Amino acid sequence: MRPNLNNLSGEKEALSLLELNTRIRGALSRAFPETCWVRAEMSDVRVNTSSGHCYLEFVEKNVQTGQLVAKVRGSIWAKTFRMLKPYFEMETGQMFASGLKVLVKVSVEFHELYGLSLTVLDIDPAYTLGDMVRKRMEIIRQLQEEGVFTLNKELPFPLLPRRIAIITSPTAAGYEDFMNQLTRNKGGYPFYTKLFPALMQGERTEASVIAALDRIYQHQDLFDVVVIIRGGGATSDLNSFDSYLLAANCAQFPLPIITGIGHERDDTVVDLVAHTRMKTPTAVAEFLISRMDSVGEELESLRQDVSLLAMDILSRQKNYLQLVATRFPSIVTSRIERNRSGLQTIASRLPAMASGLLSRRQSVLENTELRLRNGITSKLSESGRFIQLTEQFIKMASPDYILKRGYSLALKDGKIIKHASDLRAGEELTTRFIDGEIKSIIKP
């Protein structure tokens, strides 16, 4: 509205805010006289418990950046909401909650006080289903491109899956069914189970199950397989198992994962990446028991094979022993005859052999006797010469032999004096000759 320049008072012509909003309301009413269908994402969905009305926001985000590019308030009156919500959830299998893309039939309204809003009159579940399928296919394609989609399926399944890590809610009916089926197996197989509690429905399911996987990973050497089970609950709760983060964690987990989500509809993405997918927790328990049965049957087959082989070996040995027993007398007789002939030959040769041996021994003894005699004679001759030399040496070393040669011996107190320094003045000295001895006194 341009100001009126001819206004002498100088006041500008203006609209009140109410007038402006009233004109906007009229313009919108003329522009959107009827209802229209709108594509948008639901956000901030909340229900007034007293009135039953549902209030929410419809938003649109930039495909590349994820930033908001449009937003408007919305409302679903209680009468309409009571019909739309169960219809939508039954058709889509998803809870009527924030984050879903929807196609809704709305009337465009503008209130002078509350502004623009959309009143929902109808909803098309087929559009949401198509968007969910698209997102699901995008997640599967991303996992395949990253090369992790089949990693868990490629893990070798343990021969005896006895140590089981269980991810579920401890209060879930499916957990009780699983444990009853497992522990009461007809084969009496012992199973070791450990529960890792997790939320299996609601917005926190993804984070809770991933946290349980992280706890199992820290003790992976203690387990053979991981079981993810849930029983009962709304089909809409399965949306968490179509999560990329949860599916990526399961696909890359180092232990085989078995799922028993508990519904007959199309597999979730987690089912697709898991090593083995079963329909229910009870079916998971039956699968584990069947694996034990298979091993038991193989062992029984091996036992029977071993028994048959042992019986065959024993039978052959028995036949051989019987054959030996029938032939044993003739073998013994033949052997005795051969030995008797040998003994007779030895007996005929024994006198000559003994005579020759005795002759050789006698010759050896005679030679030995001769060598002993010669040796003794030589030894006695040598000993006689040694005695003569020793006797002559003793005679030459005796004092009498020395005195006979003209020498004398000086003695003091009966002991031979060898040095002059051994004598003192006044001491008596005895000098011995061949024909006697004399005594003398040492003078100073």
Side-chain angles (χ1 to χ4, degrees), residues 41-99:
E41 178 182 324
M42 295 193 300
S43 176
D44 194 23
V45 177
R46 59 196 185 282
V47 179
N48 188 306
T49 55
S50 59
S51 66
H53 301 319
C54 175
Y55 301 99
L56 69 162
E57 286 187 343
F58 292 106
V59 300
E60 183 174 342
K61 299 177 182 178
N62 185 291
V63 177
Q64 284 74 30
T65 64
Q67 294 182 342
L68 289 179
V69 295
K71 179 173 70 171
V72 66
R73 291 184 302 105
S75 58
I76 311 174
W77 305 128
K79 182 178 179 180
T80 304
F81 186 65
R82 283 195 296 269
M83 294 185 294
L84 288 188
K85 181 177 183 294
Y87 166 65
F88 176 84
E89 292 182 347
M90 181 181 65
E91 292 295 320
T92 64
Q94 301 295 312
M95 293 185 64
F96 191 88
S98 300

Side-chain angles (χ1 to χ4, degrees), residues 304-405:
Q304 292 179 1
D305 291 344
V306 171
S307 297
L308 292 174
L309 180 60
M311 291 176 64
D312 182 61
I313 293 173
L314 290 173
S315 177
R316 290 200 302 270
Q317 292 297 322
K318 180 180 179 181
N319 293 336
Y320 174 75
L321 290 174
Q322 289 175 346
L323 178 62
V324 170
T326 57
R327 298 177 58 186
F328 188 73
S330 60
I331 293 173
V332 172
T333 302
S334 175
R335 188 60 179 267
I336 291 174
E337 289 299 325
R338 289 199 301 271
N339 290 340
R340 179 180 297 169
S341 176
L343 290 173
Q344 289 174 350
T345 301
I346 293 173
S348 63
R349 294 179 181 177
L350 189 59
M353 293 171 62
S355 176
L357 180 60
L358 290 174
S359 177
R360 289 194 297 274
R361 293 298 182 186
Q362 183 175 2
S363 177
V364 171
L365 289 173
E366 289 175 354
N367 292 334
T368 302
E369 182 182 5
L370 180 60
R371 287 198 299 272
L372 285 174
R373 287 178 180 178
N374 293 336
I376 291 171
T377 301
S378 175
K379 191 68 175 178
L380 290 174
S381 177
E382 290 178 2
S383 298
R385 287 196 300 272
F386 176 75
I387 293 172
Q388 291 175 357
L389 291 174
T390 302
E391 182 179 4
Q392 184 179 358
F393 175 76
I394 293 172
K395 289 180 178 180
M396 291 176 66
S398 66
D400 292 338
Y401 182 79
I402 295 173
L403 294 176
K404 287 179 180 180
R405 295 178 59 191

Side-chain angles (χ1 to χ4, degrees), residues 145-349:
E145 290 174 353
E146 293 172 354
V148 302
F149 188 77
T150 61
L151 287 182
N152 198 260
K153 292 183 180 296
E154 294 169 1
L155 292 175
F157 201 83
L159 185 63
L160 296 173
R162 298 175 56 244
R163 304 176 301 169
I164 307 167
I166 306 171
I167 298 178
T168 191
S169 170
T171 59
Y175 174 58
E176 184 177 354
D177 294 341
F178 173 81
M179 292 302 298
N180 287 338
Q181 187 75 14
L182 199 66
T183 56
R184 298 176 183 177
N185 66 87
K186 295 180 180 179
Y189 306 122
F191 288 95
Y192 166 76
T193 59
K194 172 64 177 176
L195 175 65
F196 291 83
L199 298 174
M200 302 306 287
Q201 59 185 11
E203 296 179 355
R204 293 186 296 165
T205 298
E206 176 188 76
S208 182
V209 174
I210 291 175
L213 286 171
D214 290 340
R215 293 195 299 274
I216 297 172
Y217 179 80
Q218 296 174 4
H219 308 284
Q220 58 177 301
D221 294 339
L222 301 177
F223 301 100
D224 299 317
V225 295
V226 177
V227 168
I228 301 177
I229 55 176
R230 67 186 295 275
T235 305
S236 59
D237 293 332
L238 293 176
N239 186 42
S240 299
F241 296 92
D242 281 329
S243 153
Y244 166 77
L245 286 178
L246 180 54
N249 273 271
C250 290
Q252 299 175 80
F253 203 74
L255 294 175
I257 292 178
I258 308 171
T259 58
I261 303 301
H263 284 276
E264 300 292 335
R265 77 171 185 83
D266 293 340
D267 295 341
T268 65
V269 179
V270 170
D271 287 323
L272 295 176
V273 301
H275 187 284
T276 303
R277 187 264 186 186
M278 305 304 295
K279 293 180 180 180
T280 63
T282 301
V284 173
E286 291 174 350
F287 170 75
L288 293 171
I289 295 170
S290 69
R291 298 291 296 199
M292 299 292 287
D293 285 337
S294 298
V295 175
E297 291 172 359
E298 291 180 9
L299 291 175
E300 178 62 21
S301 177
L302 289 174
R303 187 192 68 79
Q304 292 179 1
D305 291 344
V306 171
S307 297
L308 292 174
L309 180 60
M311 291 176 64
D312 182 61
I313 293 173
L314 290 173
S315 177
R316 290 200 302 270
Q317 292 297 322
K318 180 180 179 181
N319 293 336
Y320 174 75
L321 290 174
Q322 289 175 346
L323 178 62
V324 170
T326 57
R327 298 177 58 186
F328 188 73
S330 60
I331 293 173
V332 172
T333 302
S334 175
R335 188 60 179 267
I336 291 174
E337 289 299 325
R338 289 199 301 271
N339 290 340
R340 179 180 297 169
S341 176
L343 290 173
Q344 289 174 350
T345 301
I346 293 173
S348 63
R349 294 179 181 177

